[in-house]
Amino acid sequence: MTRAEAPSPGFCSTVVGGRWLSFPISPEPFPWCCCSRHRRHCLLCGNMVCFRLSPVPGSGLVLLCLVLGAVSSYALELNLTDSEKATCLFAKWQMNFTICYETTSKNYVTVNISDLGNATYSGSICGDYQNGSKIAVQFESGFSWIVSFTKEVSTYSIDSISFTYDTSDNTTFPDAKEKGRFTVYDTVALEIPLNDIFRCNSISTLEKNCVVQHYWDVHVQAFVQNGTVSTKEFLCDKDKTSTTVVPTTVPSPTTTPTPKEKPEIGSYSVNNGNGTCLLATMGLQLNITQDKVASVININPNTTDFTGSCHSQTALLRLNSSNIKYLDFVFAVENENRFYLKEVNVSIYLVNGSVFSIANNNLTYWDAPLGSSYMCNKEQTVSVSGAFQINTFDLRVQPFNVVEGKYSTAQECSLDDDTILIPIIVGAGLSGLIIVIVIAYLIGRRKSYAGYQTL
């Protein structure tokens, strides 16, 4: 937990720490750029910003979304007070970003911005009728995110959202073709009753100019009355008609999906300036439950594009196709000597025309030492949530320390380790032998007693 002062009327108390997820908002048409490896499809390569406001008396910042990527992030909480130390602006959310940019070698690279641990809130203001309220967040090198609010007699509005990043930072944007500061600006114009807290748990996604932002569980109230955050919630339209898909268990589906054959095995890789930095080979089967209807989707590697990025502590593999907007596998380093699958984010177009989106950044699958690969030939299930699981087949993955584009020695999963069967079989055999001996002994004693008669 950290605290930071806001330089305007009052002080800003902030909490940093927590987890990530994302939500869609009905975005307007956005520019698209082709950054898939095979370039067969023109795909959005943008930043996905995932904002998540932890549940507070209702509110979902459908605006806290910029076009950013789906990776892990920190939970952010802002409690801005006025000169009398009374709360005037409250917000709680999570966000992260993925930014796509072109290099001098004419390749497209994605950058994940997820470490917001040192976020500051300079420029956040309470506001009034003349001067609107504002949440301003700064993090890392040259990144800023601003949400503006305006006030009327009986309502307040989430007016706009802007996100700024600086490609002149060679550490974050190495070899960027265009250098300078870029801002993604979106008008929101969402009106909320003055003494209500806005809540939107439903997934919203906003995409624009190679930036993608996801957010959900947004809670925000500007122009707080009498210093007390309201318990009366103003819900976004999606929350009024649907239940948010979150990483928790869901009721058993009323329909059973048609069993699918084993998916085809695909090979995927990610390259950086130094060559191949991530390798993955696997067959993927997606299991989805929505509105108590279950469905199964096998990923066809022949029609699936892939991209990603590699960093010292995190690595991203993103898959997409005509019906998969994105399927992200985010890996992380643990204790400087092991890696594991930390996060999965997905957004899929279903047959009924709806979009299924979910994210979980608190996973602990596919653990192996750095410098090795993880392998599991047998079917394995990655449970992202009660509504979404991934079955993997013939899996092998190495997200770090790839040498000459080849897999290193593999650490096998427990499902593949047949050596454990030997002591089990031997133990079962010995137990059976002992039981037979005991039974034979008892039968023998019984017969010996039967051979004597009482005089």
Side-chain angles (χ1 to χ4, degrees):
M1 177 179 294
T2 61
R3 295 184 178 274
E5 290 190 358
S8 334
F11 300 93
C12 164
S13 301
T14 68
V15 178
V16 180
R19 311 225 168 148
W20 171 90
L21 272 181
S22 57
F23 306 34
I25 224 180
S26 303
E28 313 224 342
F30 306 110
W32 298 74
C33 58
C34 290
C35 59
S36 66
R37 179 178 181 274
H38 301 303
R39 298 179 183 271
R40 288 194 299 264
H41 307 289
C42 195
L43 305 169
L44 173 72
C45 27
N47 322 6
M48 292 165 62
V49 185
C50 298
F51 302 82
R52 171 177 183 162
L53 298 181
S54 308
V56 163
S59 58
L61 247 186
V62 188
L63 14 157
L64 296 188
C65 282
L66 287 176
V67 222
L68 317 171
V71 283
S72 61
S73 91
Y74 287 80
L76 302 175
E77 181 176 329
L78 174 65
N79 185 21
L80 190 65
T81 58
D82 58 23
S83 57
E84 297 179 355
K85 305 297 188 233
T87 298
C88 60
L89 174 61
F90 177 83
K92 219 176 180 183
W93 76 102
Q94 284 192 74
M95 64 182 180
N96 65 34
F97 308 78
T98 301
I99 304 170
C100 174
Y101 70 96
E102 186 179 6
T103 66
T104 55
S105 56
K106 296 184 179 180
N107 294 320
Y108 282 94
V109 178
T110 56
V111 175
N112 304 314
I113 308 300
S114 59
D115 185 3
L116 310 182
N118 296 319
T120 60
Y121 301 83
S122 176
S124 298
I125 58 174
C126 293
D128 51 31
Y129 285 109
Q130 286 74 35
N131 302 300
S133 183
K134 180 169 63 176
I135 298 174
V137 184
Q138 304 82 36
F139 50 94
E140 292 198 12
S141 176
F143 293 94
S144 64
W145 180 80
I146 297 174
V147 180
S148 299
F149 305 84
T150 55
K151 182 180 181 182
E152 301 297 335
V153 175
S154 59
T155 63
Y156 68 94
S157 297
I158 301 174
D159 193 43
S160 63
I161 299 174
S162 64
F163 171 68
T164 300
Y165 59 98
D166 190 352
T167 56
S168 299
D169 179 5
N170 292 324
T171 302
T172 307
F173 300 96
D175 199 32
K177 180 180 179 180
E178 295 185 45
K179 302 288 187 178
R181 292 175 64 83
F182 297 88
T183 299
V184 177
Y185 180 89
D186 285 279
T187 300
V188 179
L190 177 65
E191 196 172 80
I192 304 159
L194 189 56
N195 197 34
D196 288 8
I197 184 168
F198 176 70
R199 190 199 81 192
C200 194
N201 289 329
S202 298
I203 298 175
S204 299
T205 301
L206 187 60
E207 305 173 355
K208 191 174 185 180
N209 298 344
C210 261
V211 181
V212 180
Q213 173 181 339
H214 287 64
Y215 63 89
W216 74 97
D217 285 356
V218 179
H219 298 75
V220 62
Q221 184 178 359
F223 308 104
V224 174
Q225 305 294 292
N226 303 319
T228 303
V229 177
S230 177
T231 58
K232 184 179 180 182
E233 298 180 343
F234 180 85
L235 305 183
C236 63
D237 291 339
K238 290 187 177 181
D239 276 14
K240 296 174 183 177
T241 58
S242 64
T243 301
T244 304
V245 179
V246 294
T248 57
T249 57
V250 297
S252 299
T254 55
T255 62
T256 302
T258 303
K260 287 232 176 185
E261 59 184 13
K262 181 179 176 181
E264 186 174 346
I265 308 302
S267 296
Y268 312 97
S269 62
V270 176
N271 298 320
N272 58 15
N274 299 319
T276 302
C277 58
L278 183 153
L279 291 171
T281 303
M282 53 191 169
L284 295 172
Q285 186 176 82
L286 311 184
N287 297 274
I288 301 168
T289 302
Q290 189 174 57
D291 298 328
K292 296 185 179 182
V293 176
S295 56
V296 177
I297 299 174
N298 281 349
I299 291 184
N300 182 355
N302 298 316
T303 58
T304 300
D305 293 295
F306 53 90
T307 183
S309 60
C310 301
H311 303 280
S312 60
Q313 297 295 311
T314 60
L316 166 69
L317 172 64
R318 167 171 290 183
L319 308 182
N320 43 44
S321 64
S322 58
N323 65 321
I324 299 176
K325 192 173 184 180
Y326 58 81
L327 173 59
D328 291 348
F329 297 90
V330 181
F331 301 87
V333 173
E334 182 178 33
N335 299 326
E336 302 299 329
N337 59 4
R338 301 188 71 84
F339 72 82
Y340 67 103
L341 177 65
K342 182 180 187 296
E343 182 175 343
V344 170
N345 311 299
V346 65
S347 184
I348 301 174
Y349 301 104
L350 300 181
V351 177
N352 62 6
S354 64
V355 178
F356 177 90
S357 299
I358 199 168
N360 188 342
N361 73 334
N362 194 30
L363 303 176
T364 54
Y365 292 96
W366 307 351
D367 177 89
L370 279 178
S372 68
S373 59
Y374 176 86
M375 183 170 67
C376 197
N377 291 318
K378 293 184 179 178
E379 181 178 354
Q380 187 180 31
T381 300
V382 175
S383 182
V384 181
S385 76
F388 181 63
Q389 299 84 37
I390 303 174
N391 294 336
T392 62
F393 302 80
D394 297 321
L395 168 69
R396 190 169 187 180
V397 62
Q398 185 171 347
F400 300 99
N401 300 351
V402 176
V403 178
E404 296 181 351
K406 298 178 181 179
Y407 283 110
S408 301
T409 303
Q411 174 168 309
E412 296 186 46
C413 65
S414 58
L415 295 174
D416 286 353
D417 189 2
D418 295 330
T419 58
I420 193 174
L421 294 176
I422 296 175
I424 292 175
I425 294 172
V426 172
L430 290 175
S431 298
L433 180 61
I434 292 172
I435 292 172
V436 171
I437 292 173
V438 170
I439 293 174
Y441 170 74
L442 293 175
I443 293 175
R445 287 190 60 188
R446 195 172 185 184
K447 287 183 177 180
S448 64
Y449 283 129
Y452 297 92
Q453 300 294 326
T454 303
L455 297 175

